[in-house]
Amino acid sequence: MKKHTLSTLLLATSMLSACSVRAEPPAEWGDVAWKRDAATAQADAKRTGRPILLLFTEVPGCSTVNRYATDVLRNPVIAEAAETLFVPLVVHNNLPAGTPDHALLTRFHEPAWNNPVLHVVDADLQPLASRLAGDYTVAGTAATMVAGLEKAGGDAPPWLTALTARADEVAVFGMYCFWSGEVALGAQEGVVSTEPGFLNGGEVVRVRFDPRRTTARQLAARAHVDLVSADAGEVKPTAKDRNYQLRRSKLADLSLDATQQTRVNAALGQGGDPTRWLTPRQIARLGAGR
C-alpha cells in the first residue's frame, strides 16, 4: 500500500513538472483555452456575468479522456462556446492532496482518476446544470451548456442549441433531386445531418435525426419527400453532391460542425439567413475573407 502511494505521488510530481515546462496546452484540453486557477475564474465570472464551465479530467488522460478531447473539445462550436459564453476552468483529477485541483475535487465530491465530468456553476461555484458524466458526445455537452446558460438567465444562441440534437436514428428519403432533398430535410427540427446518395438508381438522402424531436414520417411530410423503406447501409453516397448549396457559396471554406453544415446548406437553398447558424468568430472570418 505504501509502495503504491509513493509511486502515485511520484507520478503526480512528474506530471506537475511536465505541465510547468510544457509549451503547448495538454492535448486532453482539446481546443479550449481553459483557466487553471479557480479564484481567477470566479473573478472573471463575476466581472462578465458568465457561468463557469468546469471540467474535471485526467492529464495525462486515458483513451476516454483523449477521445472526448478529440470528438467534443475540438469541435469548433463547443470550443468557441466554452471560451465566449462561459469562463472555462479545468481541474486535473489525478493530482495529490494539498493541491488546488484536489481541493476542488473534494469540494465537488468527484472521484480521482476518473473519466471527464462537466459542471456548469456560477461565480460562487453553485450548480446551474446537472452534472454531465458518462456522456462523451457533442450533443450531451451542448445540452449541458444550454441548460446552464438558461438557468443563469441567458439565452443560448441557435448555433449552440442546434448541436443538442442527437443522431440516434437514420432514415432514407427519396425525391426527384437530392440537392433539393438535402435543403428541405436539413431545415427540419431534430435533423443532425444529411447525406445524398443513390439507391436502386434513384436519388435519395440519408438523414440522421433525433427521435425525441421528430419521426421519419413527420420529416417526410414536412419536407414533402418520400420515406424509403430500405437499409440505410445500402445507399451509395455521393460526396461531391453533399451540401451542394454550401459548397458553391462563400461560406465553403469555413470550418463548420456537421450540423452547422446541414443548417447553413438548407438556409442557403431556401434563401434564408445562414449566419444565424454561424458563431461570431466564424462570421468574423467570413468578413475578413471578403
Side-chain angles (χ1 to χ4, degrees), residues 94-105:
N94 50 353
L95 294 184
T99 62
D101 292 75
H102 191 272
L104 281 171
L105 202 69

Side-chain angles (χ1 to χ4, degrees), residues 12 19 22 54 74 115 121 139 162 165 168 174 176 223 233 242 267 269-270 281-282 289:
C19 288
R22 207 167 187 171
L54 177 57
R74 287 199 176 96
N115 289 325
V121 298
D168 289 342
Y176 69 93
R242 189 169 191 176
Q270 294 180 339
R281 289 177 183 172
Q282 290 168 340

Side-chain angles (χ1 to χ4, degrees), residues 239-240 242-258 260-262 264-265 268 274-275 278 282-283 285-287 289-290:
K240 68 181 180 65
R242 189 169 191 176
N243 296 317
Y244 176 78
Q245 303 295 335
L246 170 61
R247 289 163 67 94
R248 61 197 293 268
S249 77
K250 61 186 178 183
L251 287 70
D253 292 332
L254 292 176
S255 177
L256 303 178
D257 171 89
Q260 282 186 301
Q261 294 176 25
T262 298
V264 167
N265 184 72
L268 290 169
T275 60
L278 301 181
Q282 290 168 340
I283 292 174
R285 283 193 287 272
L286 182 63
R290 290 175 179 173

Side-chain angles (χ1 to χ4, degrees), residues 30-258:
D31 288 338
V32 180
W34 299 95
K35 295 182 182 300
R36 291 287 286 123
D37 179 67
T40 301
Q42 288 180 268
D44 285 354
K46 289 178 180 178
R47 177 177 55 82
T48 63
R50 295 173 181 168
I52 296 173
L53 188 69
L54 177 57
L55 173 69
F56 290 91
T57 195
E58 289 179 340
V59 176
C62 65
S63 60
T64 301
V65 169
N66 289 309
R67 187 168 60 251
Y68 184 68
T70 300
D71 296 347
V72 180
L73 299 181
R74 287 199 176 96
N75 179 286
V77 178
I78 295 295
E80 182 169 339
E83 293 179 352
T84 62
L85 303 179
F86 300 85
V87 177
L89 173 65
V90 66
V91 174
H92 295 179
N93 64 22
N94 50 353
L95 294 184
T99 62
D101 292 75
H102 191 272
L104 281 171
L105 202 69
T106 302
R107 173 169 182 162
F108 283 86
H109 307 288
E110 288 294 344
W113 300 89
N114 191 29
N115 289 325
V117 175
L118 198 65
H119 293 256
V120 179
V121 298
D122 63 18
D124 296 319
L125 302 183
Q126 296 303 306
L128 293 172
S130 298
R131 169 182 182 268
L132 182 70
D135 184 346
Y136 308 113
T137 64
V138 167
T141 300
T144 299
M145 287 177 156
V146 169
L149 290 171
E150 292 177 346
K151 183 67 174 180
D155 292 324
W159 50 266
L160 179 60
T161 58
L163 268 61
T164 63
R166 294 181 179 273
D168 289 342
E169 287 196 15
V170 182
V172 178
F173 302 88
M175 68 290 299
Y176 69 93
C177 172
F178 43 46
W179 293 345
S180 301
E182 269 203 294
V183 167
L185 289 160
Q188 302 304 315
E189 169 66 19
V191 170
V192 176
S193 65
T194 59
E195 183 181 26
F198 294 96
L199 180 65
N200 299 326
E203 297 188 17
V204 298
V205 174
R206 180 164 49 195
V207 175
R208 300 186 185 278
F209 65 96
D210 191 333
R212 301 171 305 168
R213 304 186 183 185
T214 190
T215 66
R217 292 189 181 281
Q218 288 174 333
L219 288 174
R222 292 168 183 166
H224 305 292
V225 295
D226 298 321
L227 176 59
V228 177
S229 178
D231 182 350
E234 297 175 356
V235 175
K236 295 180 180 178
T238 169
K240 68 181 180 65
D241 291 297
R242 189 169 191 176
N243 296 317
Y244 176 78
Q245 303 295 335
L246 170 61
R247 289 163 67 94
R248 61 197 293 268
S249 77
K250 61 186 178 183
L251 287 70
D253 292 332
L254 292 176
S255 177
L256 303 178
D257 171 89

Side-chain angles (χ1 to χ4, degrees), residues 1-23:
M1 183 68 178
K2 290 182 178 179
K3 182 178 180 181
H4 176 74
T5 302
L6 178 61
S7 62
T8 300
L9 289 174
L10 289 173
L11 174 60
T13 302
S14 68
M15 287 190 295
L16 282 171
S17 300
C19 288
S20 65
V21 299
R22 207 167 187 171

